[in-house]
Amino acid sequence: MESIGLGFQKMKTALDGNKLGLWPCKVTTTLNVTANADQGGKLVLDTTIKPPADVVTAEIKGHAEQTNNSSATRGNTINIELYSAACIPKDTLGYDKPEKVQGVVDALESSMNKAPLLVQ
């Protein structure tokens, strides 16, 4: 979200007071968040048994090995939709009760004046 805000801020600076000339109804940002984890291990057991020197020279050897590996991946897609006030979708508070929107607009304007990353 921070990089999106910085992108809007850079675009505003690049426009240098000029108007873009396009007011989209909807801006959709899709964030694909993934996490991966790998874990592995190996257990090796070597044994050698030698009999005493006065017995026939023979050895008993044993070797056991076990390898374990596991891997996991998970992901989430987050869609953020921003609507222009002129294109409010049906079945939303702004469409059904536009008189309730002014309080939200006032709160957004207040927060935009305090947050340096948002485009004003």
Side-chain angles (χ1 to χ4, degrees):
M1 293 296 294
E2 183 178 341
S3 64
I4 294 168
L6 287 172
F8 282 136
Q9 188 177 27
K10 286 180 182 178
M11 185 174 72
K12 180 182 177 190
T13 303
L15 289 173
D16 194 30
N18 295 318
K19 301 292 181 190
L20 187 59
L22 175 66
W23 290 93
C25 280
K26 178 172 126 178
V27 174
T28 302
T29 302
T30 302
L31 305 174
N32 190 7
V33 182
T34 60
N36 297 316
D38 291 317
Q39 184 176 8
K42 188 175 188 178
L43 174 65
V44 177
L45 178 62
D46 280 320
T47 60
T48 302
I49 300 173
K50 292 186 179 183
D54 60 337
V55 182
V56 179
T57 57
E59 290 183 357
I60 300 173
K61 291 185 177 184
H63 178 83
E65 185 175 313
Q66 180 180 357
T67 303
N68 295 318
N69 290 313
S70 64
S71 178
T73 302
R74 64 179 267 168
N76 292 313
T77 301
I78 301 168
N79 291 323
I80 301 169
E81 295 181 350
L82 306 171
Y83 290 91
S84 167
C87 306
I88 297 174
K90 289 183 179 181
D91 301 322
T92 62
L93 178 65
Y95 187 86
D96 294 336
K97 299 180 181 180
E99 68 279 1
K100 301 284 185 183
V101 175
Q102 188 58 47
V104 176
V105 171
D106 292 341
L108 286 173
E109 286 179 353
S110 174
S111 67
M112 288 176 68
N113 290 329
K114 295 176 187 173
L117 293 180
L118 297 175
V119 176
Q120 298 179 13

